């Protein structure tokens, strides 16, 4: 039922229509992909996988993060479920956790305990239902994605203890203004997105202070308030070795195949949307577990190779900064022309393409 690799320590059970965990798996597995199934209740069912590093539960029917998850976990992906609350006990003992992806759920509230999740570096809470930026977030975070929520305010002091935060995504919310000095303690900030918010540009006193900060900060502000320009901040001057990949990926992850179905038996409208440096692929794919070489076969039986080419300029970022995706059929061929992702192109290479290129070059040389 599931496919295994790396001596049965990497298990892929994605898109199998599972309603419960498959039996007979080794207890020493390190990577476990259960995404795109119909799993509902997994409380206390994963605790015996004491060596587990990566767990992907994305796009199931979970209403809460399973209890008693292994404390060995580095990476938890639970996007596209029905989570409404992240309780303090859900993450209290995950000292090793580095990545937590709870995007595309129904979260309105998360509760973190002081000094918990000390290793957490990436927190993705995009596409949820937050009205206020969560408080008491883990102090060693480097990336926070709160885009595509209903955020209207940032409470005073809630961002004061995030000295390592480098990437902060706040685009596509409902901010009309922000308190003066709210970002002053973010000394490590490199990139922030503020586009696609309904800024009250007519309220000059509040907006002027915010605009002044966006111009003076050392960070790159993508999507300046009031549409003054696409990018603000001192990072407008691009230095060698410091280039922002501002492309916003909206294509399905490379590990989704034709069996990937959503909650109602249809392809999910948004399979794994991510922002900027947050990669649009499964954590399991990043580890090299899948051996498909990102390839597929076309109708004539030829092997096709897809190569993503990301833009490295600021100008690829939309002024509005929106990453809203449209439903993509998993049986549909990848787009080879224009994509919603303006900073990314898809190059398709077949044997016929290579042969034609060689013939054209030979003809040119013969002419001379």
């Amino acid at each position: 039922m599931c496919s295994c690799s790396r001596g049965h320590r990497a298990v892929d059970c994605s898109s199998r229509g599972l309603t419960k965990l498959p039996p007979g798996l080794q207890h020493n597995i390190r990577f476990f992909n259960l995404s795109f199934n119909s799993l509902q209740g997994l409380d206390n069912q994963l605790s015996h996988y004491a060596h587990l590093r990566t767990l992907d539960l994305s796009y199931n029917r979970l209403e809460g993060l399973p209890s008693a998850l292994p404390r060995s976990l580095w990476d938890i992906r639970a996007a596209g479920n029905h989570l409404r609350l992240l309780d303090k006990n859900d993450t209290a003992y995950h000292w090793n956790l580095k990545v937590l992806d709870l995007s595309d759920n129904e979260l309105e509230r998360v509760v973190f305990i002081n000094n918990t999740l000390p290793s957490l570096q990436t927190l993705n809470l995009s596409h949820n239902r937050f009205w206020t930026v969560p408080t008491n977030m883990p102090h060693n975070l480097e990336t926070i994605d709160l885009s595509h929520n209903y955020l209207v305010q940032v409470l005073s002091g809630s961002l004061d203890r995030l000295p390592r935060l480098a990437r902060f995504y706040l685009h596509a919310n409902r901010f009309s203004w922000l308190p003066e000095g709210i970002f002053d303690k973010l000394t490590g900030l490199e990139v922030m997105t503020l586009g696609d918010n309904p800024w009250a540009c007519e309220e000059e006193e509040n907006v002027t202070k915010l605009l002044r900060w966006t111009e003076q900060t050392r960070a790159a502000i993508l999507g300046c308030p009031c549409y003054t320009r696409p990018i603000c901040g001192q990072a407008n001057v691009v230095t060698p070795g410091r280039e922002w990949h501002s492309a916003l990926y909206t294509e399905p992850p490379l590990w989704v195949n034709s069996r990937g179905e959503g909650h109602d038996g249809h392809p999910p409208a948004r399979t794994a949307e991510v922002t900027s440096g947050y990669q649009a692929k499964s954590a399991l794919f990043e580890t090299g577990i899948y051996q498909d070489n990102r390839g597929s076969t076309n109708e004539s039986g030829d092997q096709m190779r897809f190569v993503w080419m990301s833009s490295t300029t600021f100008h690829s970022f939309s002024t509005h900064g929106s990453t809203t995706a449209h439903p993509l059929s998993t049986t549909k061929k990848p787009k080879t022309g224009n994509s919603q992702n303006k900073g990314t192109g898809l190059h398709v290479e077949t044997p016929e393409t290579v042969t034609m290129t060689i013939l054209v070059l030979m003809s040119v040389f013969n002419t001379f």
Side-chain angles (χ1 to χ4, degrees), residues 352-364:
E352 286 80 7
T353 306
V354 176
T355 303
M356 184 63 71
T357 304
I358 294 174
L359 289 174
V360 171
L361 290 174
M362 290 177 64
S363 299
V364 172

Side-chain angles (χ1 to χ4, degrees), residues 221-275:
I221 308 301
L222 308 182
C224 303
C226 300
Y227 308 107
T228 51
R229 51 180 172 169
I231 298 176
C232 301
Q234 297 299 315
N236 270 316
V237 180
V238 181
T239 56
R242 176 62 65 87
E243 298 170 327
W244 299 114
H245 296 258
S246 55
L248 304 178
Y249 296 100
T250 55
E251 298 295 335
L254 295 171
W255 45 273
V256 177
N257 56 30
S258 59
R259 291 171 301 187
E261 296 181 343
H263 304 316
D264 301 318
H266 301 289
R270 183 171 55 252
T271 52
E273 246 181 346
V274 291
T275 307

Side-chain angles (χ1 to χ4, degrees), residues 61-209:
R61 299 180 180 178
L62 301 176
E63 295 184 357
L65 205 61
S67 61
L69 289 177
R71 299 180 185 180
S72 57
L73 279 166
W74 290 357
D75 191 332
I76 297 177
R77 311 273 172 136
N81 282 282
H82 303 294
L83 278 63
R84 294 190 177 184
L85 168 68
L86 183 69
D87 188 66
K88 60 184 179 181
N89 295 322
D90 293 334
T91 59
Y93 302 104
H94 288 284
W95 303 292
N96 299 307
L97 194 64
K98 299 179 181 180
V99 176
L100 180 59
D101 182 359
L102 302 177
S103 60
D104 199 9
N105 276 283
E106 302 167 16
L107 288 169
E108 299 178 0
R109 184 165 163 259
V110 294
V111 181
F112 296 111
I113 306 175
N114 272 327
N115 302 317
T116 57
L117 299 173
S119 301
L120 193 67
Q121 299 173 1
T122 299
L123 177 62
N124 190 351
L125 297 174
S126 64
H127 293 277
N128 277 288
R129 299 178 179 179
F130 292 103
W131 289 87
T132 302
V133 171
T135 59
N136 212 24
M137 288 187 285
H139 301 158
N140 290 320
L141 280 168
E142 298 176 3
T143 300
I144 299 174
D145 192 346
L146 281 163
S147 64
H148 295 273
N149 278 283
Y150 304 109
L151 296 175
V152 296
Q153 64 176 341
V154 183
L155 297 178
S156 178
S158 60
L159 303 177
D160 288 356
R161 300 179 65 186
L162 296 168
R164 298 187 181 182
L165 186 62
R167 293 163 293 278
F168 198 12
Y169 304 115
L170 294 172
H171 59 274
N173 277 287
R174 297 185 179 180
F175 290 117
S176 59
W177 68 286
L178 288 168
E180 183 178 7
I182 197 68
F183 300 128
D184 287 352
K185 297 292 181 67
L186 300 180
T187 55
L189 191 64
E190 297 178 0
V191 160
M192 177 183 285
T193 61
L194 291 176
D196 204 7
N197 279 287
W199 301 108
C201 301
E202 69 281 0
E203 298 180 10
E204 293 186 8
E205 182 179 355
N206 290 329
V207 171
T208 299
K209 294 176 181 177

Side-chain angles (χ1 to χ4, degrees), residues 5-67:
S5 60
R6 295 189 180 182
H8 296 280
R9 301 192 73 181
V11 180
D12 177 16
C13 297
S14 62
S15 304
R16 262 69 171 186
L18 299 177
T19 57
K20 60 182 180 180
L21 289 182
L25 297 177
Q26 295 181 178
H27 288 183
N28 65 342
I29 60 176
R30 295 172 66 90
F31 303 94
F32 202 1
N33 187 354
L34 289 165
S35 62
F36 296 95
N37 283 294
S38 300
L39 299 170
Q40 289 182 303
L42 294 175
D43 287 348
N44 302 305
Q45 296 184 41
L46 293 161
S47 57
H48 54 279
Y49 297 111
H51 301 277
L52 198 60
R53 292 284 188 246
T54 298
L55 176 63
D56 196 337
L57 296 169
S58 301
Y59 295 92
N60 279 280
R61 299 180 180 178
L62 301 176
E63 295 184 357
L65 205 61
S67 61

Side-chain angles (χ1 to χ4, degrees), residues 327-349:
L328 292 171
S329 171
T330 53
T331 60
K332 194 175 182 180
K333 290 184 180 179
K335 296 179 182 179
T336 58
N338 291 333
S339 170
Q340 281 188 328
N341 175 9
K342 295 182 180 180
T344 304
L346 183 62
H347 175 66
V348 181
E349 203 174 276

